[in-house]
Amino acid sequence: GSPKRLTPTTDSDFLVDVSPDGKFIATTSVGTSGNVVNVYRMGIDGGGRTQLTSFEDPQQTITGLVWGVDGVYYSLTGGDGEDTIWRVDLDGRNPTQVATGTLYRIVGVG
């Protein structure tokens, strides 16, 4: 088949990760604001795109993105240049700082 565009034409997506069940995508994107990056969740077909974070500071940059089993994790560089790692629920609630540093992956212990 033909490729399907998942990113709205007004947005620019950057980092992307797929949910463990393969049904959803998390992405970082600059929306219509043009200079602030936020985290979004959508179906694997691009439908139901929902903004999970509400950043307003263009000095912030999302430097890592991983879909975990209990939410979406991301690392954020603030205006001070320090990276912090955060977890947010799949509905955008309960953003919680969980560590410092840059997020590259989550390693599970079974």
Side-chain angles (χ1 to χ4, degrees), residues 41 50 52 67-68 70-72 87-93:
R41 175 187 51 88
T50 304
L52 299 182
W67 191 299
D70 64 343
V72 175
R87 181 206 159 278
V88 65
D89 290 345
L90 298 178
D91 61 3
R93 294 183 183 164

Side-chain angles (χ1 to χ4, degrees), residues 28-108:
T28 61
S29 184
V30 173
T32 56
S33 69
N35 62 355
V36 179
V37 178
N38 277 285
V39 177
Y40 292 79
R41 175 187 51 88
M42 63 183 144
I44 199 75
D45 64 354
R49 188 175 174 100
T50 304
Q51 187 172 333
L52 299 182
T53 59
S54 298
F55 301 126
E56 298 176 357
D57 184 355
Q59 297 293 323
Q60 293 176 319
T61 302
I62 299 173
T63 56
L65 179 71
V66 175
W67 191 299
V69 295
D70 64 343
V72 175
Y73 291 77
Y74 57 92
S75 52
L76 181 68
T77 300
D80 61 3
E82 184 170 327
D83 275 7
T84 53
I85 300 173
W86 294 76
R87 181 206 159 278
V88 65
D89 290 345
L90 298 178
D91 61 3
R93 294 183 183 164
N94 301 313
T96 305
Q97 183 179 343
V98 296
T100 58
T102 302
L103 177 66
Y104 296 105
R105 67 182 172 272
I106 297 174
V107 178

